[in-house]
Amino acid sequence: PIVTDARKVTPILKWVVKQMEERYERMAVCGVRNIQDYNERMKQHPEYEAMPFIVVVISSALVAAILRYFGIN
């Protein structure tokens, strides 16, 4: 989703961090270091789903809105 409201950024970034931590754990258990290797390994185990990429883009305008929201100049 595209988020332009600074108040909604914190829960979304927390979700992103949670996803990253869960993904790192899954990759560590599988003995791989990146999504490509994880997905290659999962081809051998069709009961597991491939791990899609997550892209987060934070514009300078959103950063400025967040800083204003928290009263940081």
Side-chain angles (χ1 to χ4, degrees):
I2 297 174
V3 179
T4 57
D5 185 344
R7 295 170 294 203
K8 295 180 181 177
V9 171
T10 299
I12 291 171
L13 290 178
K14 285 182 180 180
W15 177 85
V16 169
V17 170
K18 182 179 178 226
Q19 288 295 310
M20 285 176 23
E21 290 171 346
E22 290 173 1
R23 288 163 170 247
Y24 284 136
E25 182 63 33
R26 285 180 17 201
M27 288 189 287
V29 167
C30 292
V32 298
R33 298 181 65 143
N34 59 57
I35 292 175
Q36 294 94 340
D37 291 344
Y38 176 87
N39 287 338
E40 280 298 316
R41 177 118 357 134
M42 289 305 104
K43 286 180 182 177
Q44 302 166 9
H45 303 280
E47 66 272 17
Y48 294 104
E49 293 184 21
M51 187 183 299
F53 288 90
I54 297 175
V55 178
V56 177
V57 178
I58 301 176
S59 72
S60 58
L62 182 57
V63 171
I66 292 168
L67 293 176
R68 279 193 307 276
Y69 177 75
F70 287 105
I72 301 170
N73 293 329

